[in-house]
Amino acid sequence: EVYDRVRVEPTDTSFKECISFVRNLQPDAILAVGGGSVIDTAKAANLYTTYPETDFLDFVNPPIGKGLPVTKHLLPLLAVPTTAGTGSETTGVAVFDYEPLKAKTG
């Protein structure tokens, strides 16, 4: 199945919608084709699908979240960037706007 509702500037709400979509599928791998927003959303869905018991802020950087370490193997994530410049495919960070504080974090 294809998730095609990624926001250009992802938010905690848009991440949570994609996370729910991916959790329901229980995939063996994730494919992200697009720019930084698509790849970051896929990274978040991968992380929270692997850790379904965690709170959303558990892996978000302090002081907004707890900044917990990732200790489990995640699903294979194939990132196919269609833009140049974000470098999202090269990092483990997923950047988003945290709406309650109007802050960009990851």
Side-chain angles (χ1 to χ4, degrees):
E1 293 203 34
V2 174
Y3 184 81
D4 60 0
R5 297 183 302 273
V6 173
R7 287 181 49 125
V8 171
E9 291 291 330
T11 64
D12 53 304
T13 301
S14 70
F15 271 11
K16 289 174 187 174
E17 290 171 0
C18 184
I19 291 163
S20 177
F21 178 87
V22 174
R23 279 183 180 165
N24 288 331
L25 288 177
Q26 299 181 346
D28 295 323
I30 296 175
L31 172 65
V33 179
S37 297
V38 170
I39 296 169
D40 283 355
T41 300
K43 287 190 262 187
N46 191 0
L47 177 64
Y48 290 98
T49 297
T50 303
Y51 287 90
E53 70 285 352
T54 58
D55 180 71
F56 182 75
L57 293 179
D58 283 351
F59 294 106
V60 175
N61 291 326
I64 293 172
K66 294 179 183 175
L68 295 179
V70 177
T71 59
K72 295 181 184 177
H73 289 285
L74 303 180
L75 296 170
L77 172 63
L78 301 145
V80 181
T82 59
T83 61
T86 67
S88 180
E89 71 280 3
T90 66
T91 73
V93 177
V95 177
F96 66 98
D97 292 326
Y98 185 58
E99 295 171 307
L101 296 179
K102 297 184 169 106
K104 191 171 288 280
T105 188

